[in-house]
Amino acid sequence: MADVIQLLPDHVANQIAAGEVVQRPASVVKELLENAIDAGAKSIKLIVKEAGKTLIQVIDNGVGMSGTDARLSFERHATSKIKTAEDLFDLDTKGFRGEALASIAAIAHVEMQTRLADEELGNLLKIEGSKVVTQDLTTTAQGTSIAVKNLFFNIPARRNFLKSNAVELRHITDEFHRVALAHPAIEFHFYNKGSELFNLPACNKRQRISAIFGGKTNEKLVPVAEETQVVKVTGFICKPQFAKKSRGEQFFFVNNRFIKSPYLHHAVVAAFEGLIRPDHYPGYFLYLEVDPSSIDINIHPTKTEIKFDDEHTLYAILRSTIKHSLGQFNVVPALDFEQDQNLETPYAYKDKAVHMPGVEVDAKFNPFSDQPAKQFGKNTYPKQPTNSWESMYVGLDSKVGMEDHFSSVSFESDTITGSLFEEKTFAVETSATTFQLRRKYIVTPIKSGMVIIDQSRAHQRVLYERFLKNMTIKEAISQQLLFPLQLSFSKGEVALIEEIKDSLTTLGFVFDHIEKESIAISGVPLGVQESEVSMVIDQLIADYQLDETTDGFSQTDILAKTLCKTLAVKTGEILETGSQTALVDDLFACKEPMLSPFNKPIYITLTEGDIDKKFL
């Protein structure tokens, strides 16, 4: 039998590796930014066109590379970060496996310009699909500039898998935020379609957080600091009153590397227990410094997951540190039930001498005696004369009636005008066809038995179809606010609102203006209370960020689902009989009354036979 196993060609192996390293344009941005940081850059520029599909360029002022290093950097497993296997357990750099540039060059057109500080000329290298096209000397600034063009040009299936430009740009922005937050001492610039999205000068951590998420974020932050033999924790947490339904502002950094850790996230949430509502999440920016030998960062291709040697100790330290910060900065009121407020000495009496109180009692004192009371010190207790108290009741048996005393009294009459509202008399309906069970279900009889309806899911279905209809015909009813409502958001959230602005307008929202960090709303959909607008917008942003499908109908579907879930009647609300009947009628007038917008059953039917079986 002939041999069937053979070595793969280099370009095929590179494309397979690219499937692990490069999932979308944001993956390229992450790798290039991390390489620039490892090169010792103090200023980094990120330039993006068409959400990275056409161009991703990273320019840094790091140490640069020689011609030989520039050529070797695109070979698989070629790296300057490690030399032996033991180096994998003591890493302080971002990249170390030598797969990033080789994987990127296998699926894109790459152009690199780089120059060392002590050389006059740099090197220009062009690679297309792992093939070196040209390598020449060129004039360029110190550092490295890498331009990645036409991503996935030779893998059409992967290119078609990419989402819309808005979604891909959002992922690129998220990666940019993670790198910029981890390195506040480095200057960052982010350009998209020729316009500057972010200009982040070198600063401290608090200033970097405020520069990215808006100036009003500064007032939300509570500092966190704790140093132990296991870990050093620094950073900030957001005050409980600013907790959101979205998980956007949650960042863990271990040795200046962004990570995702559900276990540590649970420690933070546990520290906020009792301070925020169950469906809300706290914001945090936590920087952990641990011994590099105590973690393994090579368990995931994107290196966003880390294995700790002792996670239980980290959990306890992180939870107690956050609780300490919440109490130290008076975010949580300190309650001392053993302290008696009556025993505290007022500040004005701290230097006064102590005088023992004295009490004297006159045992012979008679309150009914006409003799004057005995004097004790400065106080006297004189007897008040009665002056014939019987005279108070003289004339009560007079024949003069009370009408004579009030004969001259005139009363001001009220002028009755037309009533602004119709008078309604509410009476108990003895022939009611519905009733509410446990403030959760509506029970109504039918010919064969009864129907039990989940009131929240039923209202969700009614509102969902109504919102879909309004957005389709674009004739939503909007109620105007007396004063425009000013709301503050981060730059990324404002960009997302601008993206879905047209759909929100068809729902009934009216925007006066949308700026970098704030929006003004002068009209809201019918049924939305002014106090609920901020919550509704937050929920829209949270749900829209979770769902990455933003094509046509899907965008409309996401917004309709979010609004119906937020505005629907909740479990525990009392409904009047008329509201119950109206909800039942509206439900069975829907096109799909059996399932909620989230594919959950709305009602069940109990036939007379089912009830009879219970009595057998």
Side-chain angles (χ1 to χ4, degrees):
M1 181 176 177
D3 298 334
V4 295
I5 298 178
Q6 59 184 354
L7 292 175
L8 288 174
D10 288 342
H11 69 279
V12 177
N14 287 338
Q15 287 189 3
I16 294 174
E20 294 183 358
V21 178
V22 184
Q23 300 176 355
R24 58 190 345 139
S27 305
V28 177
V29 171
K30 174 181 180 294
E31 298 291 348
L32 296 183
L33 288 177
E34 290 181 346
N35 285 342
I37 292 171
D38 287 340
K42 298 299 180 184
S43 178
I44 300 176
K45 293 182 180 178
L46 171 62
I47 302 172
V48 172
K49 290 183 179 179
E50 296 296 327
K53 301 173 184 177
T54 302
L55 172 67
I56 299 173
Q57 185 174 5
V58 174
I59 305 171
D60 67 72
N61 60 352
V63 295
M65 289 182 286
S66 63
T68 304
D69 288 345
R71 179 65 185 84
L72 281 175
S73 65
F74 288 95
E75 296 295 330
R76 292 190 66 200
H77 306 303
T79 178
S80 62
K81 314 296 172 58
I82 59 174
K83 290 184 172 62
T84 63
E86 287 75 15
D87 294 338
L88 288 171
F89 302 99
D90 190 17
L91 290 169
D92 58 357
T93 57
K94 304 292 184 182
F96 52 87
R97 293 181 298 185
E99 294 181 355
L101 291 180
S103 301
I104 294 170
I107 54 175
H109 298 162
V110 180
E111 180 179 316
M112 173 192 282
Q113 297 184 45
T114 181
R115 181 175 73 84
L116 294 170
D118 55 354
E119 293 185 359
E120 295 183 357
L121 294 177
N123 289 272
L124 172 63
L125 190 64
K126 293 183 178 181
I127 300 178
E128 296 179 0
S130 297
K131 297 180 180 179
V132 179
V133 179
T134 59
Q135 182 173 3
D136 299 317
L137 296 176
T138 184
T139 303
T140 183
Q142 176 190 343
T144 304
S145 171
I146 300 181
V148 179
K149 304 176 182 178
N150 304 322
L151 194 64
F152 299 125
F153 79 99
N154 53 355
I155 312 179
R158 291 293 301 275
R159 189 175 180 88
N160 294 334
F161 178 75
L162 296 178
K163 305 297 182 182
S164 64
N165 288 349
V167 174
E168 296 299 340
L169 180 62
R170 198 182 317 137
H171 284 283
I172 291 175
T173 305
D174 289 342
E175 291 292 348
F176 177 80
H177 287 171
R178 295 166 182 173
V179 176
L181 287 171
H183 301 275
I186 300 177
E187 177 184 353
F188 286 92
H189 299 270
F190 184 10
Y191 299 89
N192 178 45
K193 295 182 180 179
S195 61
E196 188 176 46
L197 295 183
F198 291 93
N199 182 356
L200 307 176
C203 56
N204 57 36
K205 294 176 181 176
R206 186 166 197 145
Q207 292 170 337
R208 178 57 57 87
I209 294 171
S210 299
I212 292 177
F213 294 100
K216 292 195 174 182
T217 307
N218 187 39
E219 65 185 24
K220 306 177 184 178
L221 302 179
V222 176
V224 175
E226 187 67 42
E227 186 170 1
T228 65
Q229 295 180 350
V230 178
V231 62
K232 178 182 178 182
V233 182
T234 57
F236 303 90
I237 54 176
C238 293
K239 296 177 182 178
Q241 61 264 36
F242 297 106
K244 295 184 177 181
K245 288 192 174 183
S246 60
R247 304 186 181 210
E249 299 176 1
Q250 296 178 344
F251 295 88
F252 276 117
F253 300 95
V254 176
N255 295 349
N256 291 332
R257 182 192 300 274
F258 172 79
I259 68 160
K260 297 177 181 178
S261 176
Y263 188 68
L264 295 183
H265 170 76
H266 188 274
V268 178
V269 175
F272 279 88
E273 186 177 3
L275 300 176
I276 58 177
R277 286 181 285 181
D279 56 343
H280 284 63
Y281 302 95
Y284 53 83
F285 308 86
L286 297 175
Y287 299 79
L288 282 66
E289 295 181 21
V290 299
D291 185 4
S293 61
S294 66
I295 58 175
D296 185 3
I297 60 177
N298 200 27
I299 64 173
H300 194 273
T302 60
K303 302 185 286 292
T304 56
E305 297 181 11
I306 290 181
K307 179 176 175 55
F308 296 94
D309 286 350
D310 191 358
E311 282 188 332
H312 298 287
T313 303
L314 280 176
Y315 183 99
I317 293 175
L318 189 61
R319 181 173 177 268
S320 61
T321 300
I322 294 175
K323 276 186 168 293
H324 176 69
S325 294
L326 289 172
Q328 181 181 7
F329 294 94
N330 294 327
V331 179
V332 179
L335 299 179
D336 187 358
F337 295 101
E338 298 179 357
Q339 184 177 9
D340 189 353
Q341 300 289 338
N342 297 325
L343 299 179
E344 293 186 356
T345 303
Y347 183 80
Y349 290 84
K350 65 184 184 66
D351 296 328
K352 288 190 175 183
V354 178
H355 298 282
M356 293 300 295
V359 179
E360 296 183 23
V361 179
D362 184 8
K364 297 180 180 180
F365 175 70
N366 184 3
F368 301 100
S369 174
D370 293 335
Q371 300 295 326
K374 182 180 178 182
Q375 294 188 358
F376 294 98
K378 298 180 180 180
N379 297 325
T380 60
Y381 305 94
K383 177 75 167 62
Q384 297 294 335
T386 57
N387 293 331
S388 301
W389 56 269
E390 296 88 348
S391 62
M392 296 175 59
Y393 300 94
V394 174
L396 286 181
D397 55 349
S398 176
K399 297 181 180 179
V400 179
M402 296 299 293
E403 295 84 357
D404 297 336
H405 291 283
F406 291 95
S407 59
S408 61
V409 178
S410 61
F411 297 93
E412 183 180 356
S413 61
D414 295 333
T415 304
I416 300 177
T417 58
S419 177
L420 184 61
F421 302 99
E422 295 182 2
E423 295 183 0
K424 294 183 179 180
T425 57
F426 296 92
V428 178
E429 295 183 17
T430 57
S431 59
T433 58
T434 63
F435 70 92
Q436 193 176 23
L437 177 65
R438 298 290 184 182
R439 300 183 181 181
K440 184 177 182 180
Y441 303 104
I442 297 175
V443 182
T444 182
I446 56 176
K447 292 182 178 180
S448 59
M450 68 174 64
V451 175
I452 303 175
I453 302 171
D454 187 304
Q455 65 182 32
S456 181
R457 294 180 184 177
H459 200 205
Q460 286 178 6
R461 167 54 63 179
V462 173
L463 293 177
Y464 174 70
E465 295 197 3
R466 185 180 303 168
F467 287 136
L468 279 182
K469 179 181 178 181
N470 291 339
M471 284 188 284
T472 303
I473 64 177
K474 298 182 179 181
E475 293 182 358
I477 301 176
S478 177
Q479 54 184 1
Q480 298 298 309
L481 301 178
L482 186 59
F483 299 102
L485 193 61
Q486 301 286 340
L487 301 176
S488 298
F489 295 96
S490 65
K491 294 180 180 178
E493 291 172 339
V494 171
L496 183 60
I497 292 174
E498 285 184 333
E499 179 185 336
I500 60 178
K501 177 183 175 182
D502 293 340
S503 297
L504 291 177
T505 303
T506 58
L507 281 172
F509 286 96
V510 179
F511 296 91
D512 277 1
H513 65 266
I514 299 179
E515 298 179 348
K516 289 185 178 181
E517 297 180 6
S518 66
I519 64 173
I521 299 178
S522 59
V524 295
L526 195 64
V528 179
Q529 301 295 327
E530 184 176 352
S531 58
E532 298 177 344
V533 174
S534 179
M535 180 182 65
V536 170
I537 297 294
D538 284 341
Q539 186 65 49
L540 283 172
I541 293 173
D543 290 351
Y544 198 74
Q545 286 176 338
L546 290 177
D547 199 313
E548 297 178 357
T549 57
T550 59
D551 300 329
F553 179 77
S554 297
Q555 183 185 101
T556 303
D557 188 64
I558 295 169
L559 298 178
K561 285 181 178 179
T562 301
L563 276 179
C564 76
K565 179 173 64 176
T566 307
L567 302 178
V569 173
K570 303 297 187 295
T571 298
E573 294 187 24
I574 300 177
L575 297 181
E576 299 291 340
T577 305
S579 300
Q580 298 172 23
T581 305
L583 181 57
V584 173
D585 294 340
D586 292 341
L587 173 64
F588 289 103
C590 293
K591 295 181 179 179
E592 182 56 66
M594 297 185 63
L595 295 176
S596 74
F598 306 96
N599 293 325
K600 294 182 179 180
I602 296 177
Y603 65 87
I604 59 171
T605 303
L606 287 179
T607 63
E608 188 175 353
D610 295 332
I611 299 175
D612 291 338
K613 291 179 182 178
K614 301 295 182 180
F615 292 93
L616 293 179

